[in-house]
Amino acid sequence: MTEKKKDEKEIPKEPSMIRQKELISGYYDELATAKEDGKKVVYTFVPGNLAELLAAFDVLPVLPEINALQSGMRKRSRDYIATAEKSGHSEDVCTYVKCDLGMMEQGIGPTGKPIPEPDMLLLSYTGCFTFMKWFELLKERFPKAEVAMLHVPYQGDGEITKEMRDYTVKQLETEIVPKLEKLTGKKLDRDRLKELLVRSAEAEEDLVWTWEAAKHRPSPIDGYFGGVFYIGPIFTAFRGTQEGVDYYRLLRQEVQARIDAHEGPITPRGQLNDQKFRIVVEGPPNWTSFRDFWSMFADEGAVCVASTYTRVGGLYDQGFRHDPDDIMGTMADYCLGCYTNLNLPQRTKLIAKYCEEYEADGFIAHSVKSCNSFSAGQLLMLREVEKMTGVPGGFIESDLVDPRYFSAANIKNRLESYFQMLAQRKTGGGAKSMEAVL
Amino acid sequence: MEKGHTMRTPEQIAEQCEQIALDDHLGEVTKWREETGGHAAGHLPVYTPREVIDAAGMLPVGVVGSGEMEIIRGDAYFQSYICHLPRSVVEMGLTGRLDSLDAMIFPATCDVIRNLSGMWKLLFPEKLVHYLDVPHNHDPEVGGVFYAGELRRLAKDLSKISGVEVTDDALRTAIEKRNESRRLMRKLFDLRSDSPEKVPTSELYVLMRAGFQMPQDAHDALVKEYYEAALASSRPEFDNARVVVIGSFCEQPPIGLIRTLEKAGCYIVDDDLLLGAHFILDDLELEGDPFTTLAKSWFDHARSMPSRFVPDEVKGEYLVQLTKKRQAEGVIFAAPSFCDPALLEQPMLQDALERAGIAHTSFKYAENNGQFHPILEQAGTFTDSIKLWSEAS
Amino acid sequence: MSDACYVGIDLGSTTTKAVVLDDECRVLGRGITNSRSNYDLACEIAQTEAFVDAQMSRLRQSFESDDVLASHAKVLGASVGRSFRYRQHTRQLDTLERECLRLAHGNADLEAAIERMMVAMREDAERLFSGLAAPSESEFFRDIAGSLFQRLAEQESSPKTLPYESIVGVFDRAILVVENEPDDLSFEGNAKAALTRSLERYAKADDQVRDAAIRQIDDLLNRPFQTACSVGTGYGRARLPFPKAQIRSEILCHGLGAHIMYPGTRTVLDIGGQDTKGIQVDEHGIVTSFQMNDRCAAGCGRYLGYIADEMNLGVHELGPLAQKAKKKVKISSTCTVFAGAELRERLSLGEKREDILAGLHRAIILRAMSILARSGGVEEEFTFTGGVARNQAAVKALRDLIHENYGDRTINISPASIYMGALGAAHFAKREAEEILAASSAATEESAEVRA
């Protein structure tokens, strides 16, 4: 164990990862002093978040899911979840919610610094019913906070209709903007919002380029485990900011350098140049054993070339860009188009498309106990993707931030079996060729 | 009731209802189709305005799962941490038990039912699958307009199958008839509250549930018949505890569970079993645009429940008022296992009850639960304790 | 005949199995032992057992082809086998006695009781390996010795002076030492002594027979098997000291093993102690898809263990009792946590044990059917393996459900199916060795070319 730890320390971090970490910790620092600095704080969710609008009002967003996942990565979530369960929450329900409520009860954020109380709960209700219950529970805790609901209709029939878009735009105009104006005491500066949206689109361009770099062999990025670092800034507080633009420029240069050098991404097991399997992943990662989980892929020479989780904050690679010329419409389109707001046939088609475009050898569904929005129906999607593409599917289960649901031996066993099956299918079962791929 | 006929007892009516209600082959629906040649539309929990289906000339059929079946295919598609209802619904679909339904409507209840709509599209591409969104914005000009549009879209979809256009007049008539059905049911609920010994919930439940698989007129007649029979019945009154049972009922508890609560000394004086069947609390107006009327009913005439967002709602206030109105001595929470909406709502409701000084207890169940002994013990202890408590005070 | 062989080891959660193949992929021998806390040892013992099995069959063959021994081969061959088992058994009894006495030291009553019990156990060993005793339910020393020890302890115990628990407690601790202390149970170490014992008891053994038999044994001892390659699989495979290329998943090994035993196999169901697997294979035994039970062990072999405990029965008694069922009882929970409660409630409602048990078996198989459906259904032919495949009530429930859901399917079940994973692993070992050979000869050719 101690040896392994030493190894981990020696693995170099990519400059973009270091920059990403700085951005995130700077953000938490800013939160810690928000009240002293006289800033208004708005809690909101990642999918369909209105980062530019909040920035235009100079309010600080707090993203409870990010707090929960950060708590998971920093091994604090077990304690938080226990706190929430002690106060009456069922073992059955979403552990993001419990982690967040437990954290609130203990009064400190994932970095050990306080998280400011909300002045407003902006419920961007996109692709997850549990969000609604989550904010109702927060409202009980913070009764003085104003609640603003942005109900984003679901793409039940696999399309965004005019009615859905109109409804969303109307809510922005009649509910969200007025409440933010009331909260901050100032009118929305539409020109400023426009500028922010211009910067969003610029960063989005570089992010898509980065995602699609995984089409190279070897893939210069890991589009799932590495991907969650890449999406961090744009999914949270940094969309529309210059820091966001600069981060994605830096990332792009870094990835380009690896393409030129025929190098793979840096993983917890070092640089993965010898890539035996190209995998598409569906579902969010586990955060409590993130590095171990990633290592289980890296150990087998598996690189994730695309993932759906990295699309929860926007399907930019399917053409969406924030459009500064239609500020309300573009925010509505953004919310309506998030991955979790797609219906199952759309999700299935998208995964099949990724399998083909990224020339995947396999497709793995990581099913998390906490997230029914992702998980309900995944087993059917798995079969459908196999039917559509012939790419064999694998299935593993754990949870987002509840370490009780991450059984390392179990997951490792399934992954090993799965990768061996892929190897056997590639080679027809001969031992030598197995050796070559193993 | 014609003269010369012997009046049926409530037990006899309930027995007939139970057969209809718990038949996972939807025998009553198949029979109706054969007799009338009509079309039927299934709707998942929690709530779908059945008036739209009525007006499209179709039979609305509540698809609420089944705890009686052996599940193979359903389990193949759902992980162990997902509630039981979608398993039995998928099993019913894949074993042909839902063949009598020409359409399936999936209302916006939770992520599981939402995703089930997509699964249905993949599994049954030849069937009409309709996802019905509900409004979480309560501004009539915003959420109201959107939801009325959703209902129009539903009407249009159904009309394609039945060939019957949903006119404003037809929809108004449907609302009027449903008003009448709701009135009958409310009367029965009031009778239960006044004389719970006359209307055991295990009977009321199957009566209500039979209505999910029957034409409205036939069911209304049954409700009337049951009401008269129950009113005339002379059942002994016990010193039971008056309780409200709350489960945000989407997935239905096994009938054995309701009987267990009764056996444990509970008079269930109100509940949200089969929530969708009594989700709308009042008569809906008949003037004006009927789609708008239905849309507005979501804001103004609906029960509080976890899948319905109400701005500035004081959580639990509805339950406290209901408990007082029914003079109940306590509340029993029976939530389906792994139900995020119900289980996340529950602590807020419990807080409200505590503030109001109302006793409560809770347990979880699944529709296929086979063991009631622990529930009998728990509910028995609860009723004993609230009896003691009320005597002491 | 080459003595090169290929070994497959399946390190399961309950038992460890080994299979030895020859150059022609024929099964030379099989060995099984209960997996103990010491996986390395379990693995070594299973291999030793497989080699003993292999050598014993070679011995019988050589007896048969020997002019002098041919007419004695059948009786003498079987006798040597029993003598060998007897010898292994008594060696373990020695260790057991030593440990029991050590633990009982200072308690005169207990010591005396144990000494008496050990005498009885040795006598029973004579009977056990006499060829006249009915085969015991288990072949493991722990089980055979344990059940006799318990019976004897009941006789020896007295509630006041020598409680039953204190005697049995000694066994429970001593057996751990017996199982975990390396002891020579090999063919090489025990064959001659076994032969001597058999010859002493064989009336027709004249000098000529004696000499011939000893010659054959010596001959065998002079050509031990050469393990060309080993491959490991099973729940504990990560613990095996093998390079990665010599480890295969259970999925792959069960798929291939099923294909070897029944080449028409397209779907495999394995219900083991810890997990349930549904596997689809193609016409070459290559896995095309698989699913395992989720993180909860509902419906696995372990579940039956809980039920047996709950009912105060042995696991092997569950199936036969369930087959006596007259009535259908629906059991909804295959959750190990709830199963006990549901069981007690059913019993209190007056349901019969056998009816409940039949319901429980059906419930387990229903879970398995779901996993099969997840993996792609049940194709023709269907092979059922794992510990639960030995339970007739489970097999019946499976046959019924397959028929109800998939119609007519050939269902392959073999008593040897417990070795299926090890068999698959042994075949992988053979392939692995071939590849290594091919690679090295290619390298030789290449270097020859370079030289030329």
Side-chain angles (χ1 to χ4, degrees), chain A residues 87-104:
Chain A
S87 68
H89 282 283
S90 167
E91 200 195 318
D92 290 0
V93 300
C94 172
T95 57
Y96 261 6
V97 178
K98 286 186 286 188
C99 181
D100 187 43
L101 295 175
M103 186 188 84
M104 290 295 168

Side-chain angles (χ1 to χ4, degrees), chain A residues 88-90 92-94 97 125 127-130 132-133 136-137 140 147 149 151 153-154 156-157 167 170-171 174 340 343-345 347-348 367-369 372-373 375-380 384 395 397, chain B residues 76-79 81-82 108-112 114-115 118-119 121-123 129 131 133-137 141-143 145-146 153 306-309 315 337-341 343-345 347-348 351 364:
Chain A
H89 282 283
S90 167
D92 290 0
V93 300
C94 172
V97 178
Y125 174 90
C128 168
F129 279 83
T130 300
M132 195 165 97
K133 307 319 292 174
E136 285 171 354
L137 285 157
E140 297 266 299
V147 177
M149 158 65 101
H151 173 206
Y154 181 61
D157 282 334
Y167 175 42
K170 260 203 270 180
Q171 290 178 77
T174 64
T340 42
N343 75 3
L344 252 57
R347 282 169 62 186
T348 307
S367 176
V368 291
K369 178 234 174 205
N372 290 340
S373 175
S375 302
Q378 251 169 356
L379 281 153
L380 178 61
E384 293 291 317
F395 188 71
E397 292 176 273
Chain B
Y77 288 121
F78 292 100
Q79 302 88 329
Y81 47 78
I82 287 176
T109 298
C110 69
D111 293 323
V112 174
R114 186 197 72 184
N115 286 8
M119 291 176 71
K121 280 179 190 271
L122 292 167
L123 289 168
V129 177
Y131 180 77
D133 222 325
V134 297
H136 295 309
N137 175 298
E141 294 306 315
V142 184
V145 168
F146 168 72
R153 194 172 61 84
S307 306
R308 177 169 168 259
F309 176 81
K315 278 281 168 192
S337 295
F338 300 109
C339 176
D340 258 20
L343 289 167
L344 286 167
E345 177 105 334
M348 294 186 273
D351 285 349
K364 289 185 288 185

Side-chain angles (χ1 to χ4, degrees), chain A residues 229-241:
Chain A
F229 292 98
Y230 304 153
I231 59 175
I234 209 164
F235 280 12
T236 58
F238 296 95
R239 208 174 60 229
T241 66

Side-chain angles (χ1 to χ4, degrees), chain A residues 18 52 145 154 239 377 426:
Chain A
I18 294 164
E52 300 89 349
Y154 181 61
R239 208 174 60 229
K426 263 188 176 177

Side-chain angles (χ1 to χ4, degrees), chain B residues 165-234:
Chain B
E165 199 199 328
V166 179
T167 62
D168 286 0
D169 280 345
L171 190 55
R172 240 174 252 126
T173 307
I175 293 173
E176 193 174 4
K177 283 189 70 184
R178 287 286 164 193
N179 275 347
E180 174 60 19
S181 298
R182 281 189 282 262
R183 240 174 268 140
L184 289 171
M185 201 48 91
R186 281 203 300 272
K187 226 172 101 185
L188 193 51
F189 267 60
D190 288 343
L191 176 63
R192 172 178 65 168
S193 178
D194 294 341
S195 314
E197 76 285 357
K198 287 183 191 290
V199 186
T201 298
S202 47
E203 289 182 2
L204 176 57
Y205 173 70
V206 289
L207 176 67
M208 198 160 57
R209 187 157 165 183
F212 265 17
Q213 311 203 6
M214 290 175 76
Q216 192 181 357
D217 293 338
H219 186 248
D220 282 353
L222 260 182
V223 176
K224 280 185 205 157
E225 188 192 354
Y226 180 85
Y227 181 87
E228 295 303 331
L231 194 64
S233 69
S234 54

Side-chain angles (χ1 to χ4, degrees), chain A residues 320-333:
Chain A
F320 174 81
R321 290 291 179 281
H322 277 97
D323 175 7
D325 293 328
D326 178 9
I327 53 176
M328 294 297 154
T330 200
M331 288 194 292
D333 288 338

